Amino acid sequence: MSDTVLVPGGRDVRATLDVAESEHDTDASTADAIVVACPPHPQHRGHRGDERLVAVSDALTARGIDCLRFDYGPWDEGYGECADADNAVGWALDRYDRVGLFGFSFGGTVALVTAAGRPAVAAVCALAPTARLNPEADATDALADLAARTSRTADKANARDGSGDGARTGTATGIEAGAAADGSPVTVVYATRDTTADWEPVVERAEALGFPTVPLESDHFFVGRAGEVGETVADALVPRLHE
C-alpha cells in the first residue's frame, strides 16, 4: 500500500510512502523502520517513480521496512535538494524508531551528504553516486565526516567497556553506533561500466575509509538489473534497521 505525503519545509516536496507487508489485517504501517529514497537528477527526469527507487522500495517493504520516495522541490543546484532530503529525514525521524537513507546517482550524493549531517540516521546506501553536486555537497567529504563520527563513537564505546576491541554495546541505532550495531553504516554500490557519473573518487574514498563497496556489472542505469539493485541495497540497509 502507498500513501501520498507532503514533506514539511519551505519547498514543495511531495513523496510516496510505501508501507511494508504486514501479518496484520491493516492498511496502516506497523513498521518501526523506514528508508528515505532520494531520486536521481531532477533536470534529467529524475523522480520518485524511478525504477531503481521502486525496486529498492519493493525489496525493503518485503522485509518489513517502509520506504519514503520523494520528489525534489524546484531546482536549486543541489542546495535545495539536500535540504529536501534533510526535511524528509526529519519527517521520518518523528514517526519511526530507525531511519535509513538511499539514493541513486545525483540522489546517492544527496543521501551521503544528508547522512553526514544527521547522526540519528542508522545507515546510508549510495547507488552510483557522483563525486560532487556543488562546493558544499561533496560525497568524498561526506564519507570522511561519516568515518570520523563512527571512529569517535567506537573509541568512546571501547573506553566505556574497557575492551579496546570494538565490542558491541547494543544501544545506539544511528550512524554513530558504528561497529556497535550489525552491518555497515555506509555502503556504496557502483556500476563497473559506468561512464555517466564521476563515481571513482567516491568508491576510492569509501574503500580507503573501510566502508564496503559493492560492484555490479552494469552501466550507470542498471538496465535490466533493477531487481538485483533492489536486493543489493536492501542487503546493505536491513541489518542496521532491524532490531
Side-chain angles (χ1 to χ4, degrees):
M1 188 193 80
S2 298
D3 294 321
T4 300
V5 172
L6 300 180
V7 177
R11 290 159 52 84
D12 182 11
V13 178
R14 297 164 190 256
T16 298
L17 175 64
D18 298 323
V19 176
E21 298 175 6
S22 172
E23 296 177 358
H24 305 288
D25 185 17
T26 176
D27 289 335
S29 173
T30 60
D32 54 14
I34 188 172
V35 170
V36 174
C38 308
H41 204 302
Q43 291 196 315
H44 297 159
R45 295 182 291 180
H47 59 92
R48 69 184 189 260
D50 179 88
E51 69 172 336
R52 287 132 300 219
L53 267 67
V54 172
V56 168
S57 181
D58 288 346
L60 290 168
T61 55
R63 303 192 199 191
I65 295 171
D66 288 356
C67 185
L68 185 74
R69 299 178 283 113
F70 72 92
D71 285 331
Y72 304 113
W75 171 243
D76 191 33
E77 306 288 341
Y79 297 96
E81 290 74 19
C82 287
D84 296 339
D86 187 72
N87 287 334
V89 168
W91 179 93
L93 287 169
D94 285 343
R95 293 163 174 82
Y96 292 83
D97 295 337
R98 292 172 299 284
V99 176
L101 266 166
F102 162 71
F104 166 53
S105 191
F106 174 98
T109 307
V110 169
L112 290 171
V113 170
T114 302
R118 282 280 191 174
V121 168
V124 56
C125 181
L127 175 67
T130 193
R132 191 186 228 202
L133 306 183
N134 59 55
E136 297 179 18
D138 186 297
T140 59
D141 289 346
L143 286 168
D145 290 343
L146 290 164
R149 185 184 305 144
T150 303
S151 177
R152 286 195 299 271
T153 305
D155 289 344
K156 290 178 182 178
N158 291 340
R160 282 196 301 272
D161 65 20
S163 66
D165 63 357
R168 295 179 181 175
T169 58
T171 55
T173 58
I175 278 179
E176 290 189 351
D182 290 332
S184 172
V186 181
T187 304
V188 176
V189 182
Y190 65 98
T192 57
R193 293 184 281 106
D194 189 346
T195 59
T196 301
D198 182 20
W199 57 270
E200 291 96 336
V202 187
V203 171
E204 289 172 2
R205 178 61 65 89
E207 291 177 344
L209 293 169
F211 293 132
T213 62
V214 181
L216 295 180
E217 182 62 31
S218 177
D219 61 10
H220 180 71
F221 301 100
F222 301 93
V223 175
R225 309 290 292 276
E228 182 181 2
V229 163
E231 294 300 324
T232 300
V233 172
D235 286 345
L237 292 173
V238 167
R240 299 278 299 190
L241 296 172
H242 275 321
E243 288 184 319

